[in-house]
Amino acid sequence: MAAFSVCYLLSIYCFSKELMQIFNHEKQFLQLTHLALILYSFNYLFAWLNSLTATYLTAANKVKESLFFSIIQSFFMPIICLLIFIFLFNFYGIFISYVVSEFLSIFLAYFLLKRYFKS
């Protein structure tokens, strides 16, 4: 999954303008969406690990931990990051916030997995 994430990131970085031209040809729109897509695509470097953690915890019959992790990772962390990063980076904070949210969720995943393997 990590290799797929890197391939996806590289393909977005190389072909995002061509992809966006399918939908719109305005120069201002292309510049805006090109940068937004590149910023957001970094999310996939971290999201796979978080999805794997939630799936593993559920399969290991740690349903409460999995539910807790999923709610924090999918709901609370993005909202908190969005409120912070939209203030710091304006429009681009929308895209940066999700990347930071996924990155911070890795630390929660580490804590939950470490706790699971101790028991």
Side-chain angles (χ1 to χ4, degrees):
M1 290 179 81
F4 180 74
S5 298
V6 171
C7 290
Y8 180 78
L9 177 67
L10 292 174
S11 63
I12 288 297
Y13 186 76
C14 293
F15 303 111
S16 64
K17 288 184 180 178
E18 290 80 7
L19 181 64
M20 290 297 106
Q21 285 179 346
I22 294 171
F23 302 103
N24 198 322
H25 295 286
E26 294 178 25
K27 187 175 181 176
Q28 185 179 9
F29 175 79
L30 291 174
Q31 290 173 343
L32 180 70
T33 55
H34 172 71
L35 184 57
L37 191 58
I38 287 175
L39 289 173
Y40 185 79
S41 66
F42 281 100
N43 165 57
Y44 295 107
L45 293 175
F46 312 115
W48 69 270
L49 182 61
N50 295 328
S51 296
L52 185 65
T53 300
T55 303
Y56 181 79
L57 288 171
T58 301
N61 205 22
K62 296 290 185 180
V63 179
K64 290 179 186 177
E65 289 86 350
S66 177
L67 181 62
F68 171 75
F69 178 73
S70 294
I71 290 172
I72 296 294
Q73 182 236 350
S74 301
F75 184 70
F76 289 110
M77 195 76 75
I79 290 174
I80 292 167
C81 288
L82 181 64
L83 293 173
I84 293 169
F85 286 98
I86 204 162
F87 176 74
L88 295 174
F89 299 108
N90 297 319
F91 176 74
Y92 294 110
I94 296 169
F95 306 102
I96 295 169
S97 67
Y98 200 68
V99 175
V100 172
S101 169
E102 290 289 339
F103 179 74
L104 293 175
S105 295
I106 290 174
F107 295 106
L108 180 60
Y110 173 77
F111 171 75
L112 289 171
L113 290 174
K114 185 177 177 182
R115 190 171 145 205
Y116 170 72
F117 284 114
K118 276 189 177 179
S119 59

